[in-house]
Structures are given as C-alpha cells and as structure tokens.
C-alpha cells in the first residue's frame, strides 16, 4: 500500500509538469461560436467556463500553478501540498464534467492546444482517476524525488502501468502525433467511404466544426435532429429551422470519408426533395 501511495505522488507530479509544459508551449485556438451550441444559446456557467478556457492569460496562469504544484510534489511531502493537489484535480474534474454537458463542442484545454477535441468520456474518466490518485497520495510518506531514488521495482511497475492507462485515456496523443507531421492514417490507403464504418459521434463532431453549421446554426430551433440516415459516402442530418417566421428544415450532408471530410447543407421546405443537397 505504501508503494502504491508513493507512486501516486510521482504520477501526479509528472502529469502536472506535462500539463504546465503543454499550456506554456502549445497555444489553443479560440472558439468560432462561443455563444451557441447546436443552435441553442449556451447557459451562462458553461459559457463562462469556456471563456476562461480560451483566455491565454488564464492558460499561462494555470500552467504556472500546475508547474509549481508538480515541483512541490517532487521536493516535499508536506500535507498542504498534497491537499492543494487534491483540490486542484477535484476542481478540474468538475470543470471537465461541466464542459462535457454544457459545451460538447469545446475541448477541455487540460494540456493546452493539444486538448482541442470535444470533451468525451475518456477525458472525464481520466480526471476522476487523477482525483482518486491525489486522494491516495495524501498518506504517502515520500516526496517524488525520494520515490525516484529509492522506489524499487514495485514502484516502477506500478508507475509504468499507470502511465499506460493515462496514455490510453488521453486523446491529446493523436493531436501530438499530428503536430509532429504524422497525421492519422499516414502511410496506408484510406478505406473507401461507402464501406467505412462511421460512428454517429464522428458525424456530429465533423458537422459542428464545419462552416455549413456556422452558417445555419442561428436558425436551427432544436438541438435534436428530426431525422438521421446514411446513403453511401454521406450521412444526412435534418434539423428543424425557422426563417423569417416560416418553418423550414436544414439538411446537412456529412461525408463519411476517413480523411478530409466535408459538409454540405441546404435550407428546404419540409416537403422538398433532398436531391439539392448533393
């Protein structure tokens, strides 16, 4: 049990220092439409959270604070440092959970610009596990550097296993690979779009990030689509809309291709044929 607690100190220090480095070196891209999600105005608390997340000054301040906590975990075993770390991860868990519910189009910013993808279950689970690790570290007798010097094989095995779990729960790794010039799918042919499995979550992510959605989102009257179906290389998503007091429908055609997916749209009367989309 003592070895497990000591390992959590080392893990949390490494994560905090990595988050600090990412926030200070990888800038986030500002959100294009911070006031609406899925055509519906964003509630005030999630909107404020997203505004703070997009602030460069806030990102630098958080990064510096994380770096200070990470270094403190390495050099001291004082309880106040462990409590501050636990509170920080608990707060981060709450923020990530709120962003997932209130701003599903926004990244969490946990690792700066690498965390630009929309918040998913993995990010929430990761934050919860880090909070649990911080609670477990409260009773650890050693500081991080002491763990490194005399932790032994048992600590090394546990630390490696936890790092592997952390990597599996981190969508930032694919973003990091992309920044190094190795985009997903590099070196192998793309699967034909008409045969490629395309999860509905991928379709919505592509749609909400597209110029076509930005063009029509303010006339969409419901976050719930009227209909969704797939034909060949396209998945169609239909939303109700109101334009100049008239009921309309916005039909989006979202590509199911593996790479360079596009989105097309058309505003139609409810009875109109959908052939105009393509």
């Amino acid at each position: 049990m003592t070895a497990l607690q000591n390992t959590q100190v080392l893990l949390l220090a490494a994560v905090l220092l990595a988050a600090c480095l990412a926030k200070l070196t990888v800038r986030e891209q500002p959100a294009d439409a911070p006031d609406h999600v899925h055509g519906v105005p964003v509630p005030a608390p999630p909107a404020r959270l997203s505004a703070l997340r997009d602030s460069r000054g806030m990102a630098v301040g958080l990064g510096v604070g994380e770096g200070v906590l990470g270094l403190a975990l390495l050099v001291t075993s004082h309880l106040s440092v462990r409590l501050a770390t636990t509170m920080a991860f608990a707060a981060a868990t709450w923020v990530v959970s709120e962003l997932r519910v209130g701003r599903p189009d926004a990244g969490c910013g946990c690792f700066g610009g690498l965390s630009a993808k929309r918040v998913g279950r993995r990010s929430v689970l990761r934050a919860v596990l880090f909070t649990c690790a911080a609670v477990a570290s409260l009773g650890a007798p050693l500081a991080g550097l002491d763990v490194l010097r005399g932790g032994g094989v048992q600590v090394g095995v546990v630390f490696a296993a936890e790092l592997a779990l952390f990597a599996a729960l981190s969508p930032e790794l694919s973003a990091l690979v992309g920044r190094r010039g190795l985009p997903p799918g590099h070196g192998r042919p793309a699967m034909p779009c008409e045969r490629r499995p395309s999860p509905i979550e991928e379709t919505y992510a592509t749609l909400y990030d597209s110029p076509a959605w930005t063009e029509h989102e303010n006339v969409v009257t419901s976050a719930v689509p009227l209909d969704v179906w797939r034909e060949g290389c396209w998945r169609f998503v239909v939303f109700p809309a109101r334009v100049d007091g008239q009921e309309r429908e916005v039909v989006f055609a979202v590509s199911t291709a593996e790479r360079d997916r596009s989105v097309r749209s058309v505003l139609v009367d409810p009875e109109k044929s959908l052939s105009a989309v393509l």
Side-chain angles (χ1 to χ4, degrees), residues 17-41:
L17 291 174
C20 169
L21 181 62
K23 284 186 175 70
L24 296 181
T25 58
V26 185
R27 296 182 67 95
E28 296 182 71
Q29 297 298 321
D32 292 332
D35 297 328
H36 290 76
V37 177
H38 308 174
V40 178

Side-chain angles (χ1 to χ4, degrees), residues 43-53 62 85-103 107-108 110 119-120 123-132:
R48 286 195 292 268
L49 286 176
S50 186
L52 289 174
R53 184 191 65 82
L62 286 174
T85 302
T86 303
M87 293 175 62
F89 277 105
T93 300
W94 175 77
V95 170
V96 171
S97 301
E98 286 293 311
L99 286 174
R100 173 170 167 74
V101 174
R103 285 302 310 268
C108 67
C110 307
V119 177
S123 297
V124 177
L125 177 59
R126 182 181 64 185
V128 171
L129 291 177
F130 281 143
T131 302
C132 293

Side-chain angles (χ1 to χ4, degrees), residues 1-267:
M1 181 60 69
T2 299
L4 181 63
Q5 290 176 317
N6 286 331
T7 305
Q8 306 318 304
V9 176
L10 194 59
L11 174 69
L12 296 173
V15 169
L16 287 169
L17 291 174
C20 169
L21 181 62
K23 284 186 175 70
L24 296 181
T25 58
V26 185
R27 296 182 67 95
E28 296 182 71
Q29 297 298 321
D32 292 332
D35 297 328
H36 290 76
V37 177
H38 308 174
V40 178
V42 178
R48 286 195 292 268
L49 286 176
S50 186
L52 289 174
R53 184 191 65 82
D54 293 332
S55 168
R56 178 58 182 168
M58 179 61 69
V60 171
L62 286 174
V64 171
E66 289 167 341
V68 170
L69 270 181
L71 291 174
L73 286 173
L74 289 176
V75 300
T76 180
S77 60
H78 199 280
L79 181 60
S80 62
V81 175
R82 306 284 175 80
L83 287 173
T85 302
T86 303
M87 293 175 62
F89 277 105
T93 300
W94 175 77
V95 170
V96 171
S97 301
E98 286 293 311
L99 286 174
R100 173 170 167 74
V101 174
R103 285 302 310 268
D105 63 322
C108 67
C110 307
F111 290 86
L114 297 177
S115 302
K117 289 186 178 180
R118 59 192 301 172
V119 177
R121 295 187 185 92
R122 287 192 299 167
S123 297
V124 177
L125 177 59
R126 182 181 64 185
V128 171
L129 291 177
F130 281 143
T131 302
C132 293
V135 172
S137 73
L138 292 174
L142 299 180
L145 291 179
D146 295 330
V147 177
L148 281 175
R149 285 193 290 262
V153 176
Q154 187 176 10
V155 169
V157 171
V158 175
F159 184 61
E162 290 186 336
L163 282 182
L165 177 60
F166 164 61
L169 294 175
S170 298
E172 291 84 2
L173 287 180
S174 60
L176 182 61
V177 169
R179 285 177 177 267
R180 294 176 64 87
L182 297 173
H186 181 76
R188 61 179 176 82
M191 180 180 293
C193 56
E194 65 272 12
R195 295 193 292 109
R196 175 180 175 268
S198 177
I200 190 65
E201 294 81 7
E202 176 188 87
T203 295
Y204 285 135
T206 302
L207 172 61
Y208 297 145
D209 288 338
S210 69
W213 177 262
T214 301
E215 178 183 356
H216 295 293
E217 70 170 337
N218 288 329
V219 300
V220 172
T221 58
S222 173
V224 180
L226 295 173
D227 202 359
V228 180
W229 73 96
R230 178 173 177 174
E231 293 183 12
C233 292
W234 300 90
R235 177 172 278 125
F236 296 89
V237 187
V238 184
F239 286 90
R242 180 180 294 273
V243 179
D244 297 329
Q246 301 295 317
E247 297 296 329
R248 296 288 186 268
E249 291 179 356
V250 186
V251 184
F252 296 95
V254 184
S255 171
T256 60
E258 181 176 1
R259 309 169 194 168
D260 301 322
R261 289 186 290 272
S262 61
V263 178
R264 302 179 184 180
S265 64
V266 64
L267 191 66

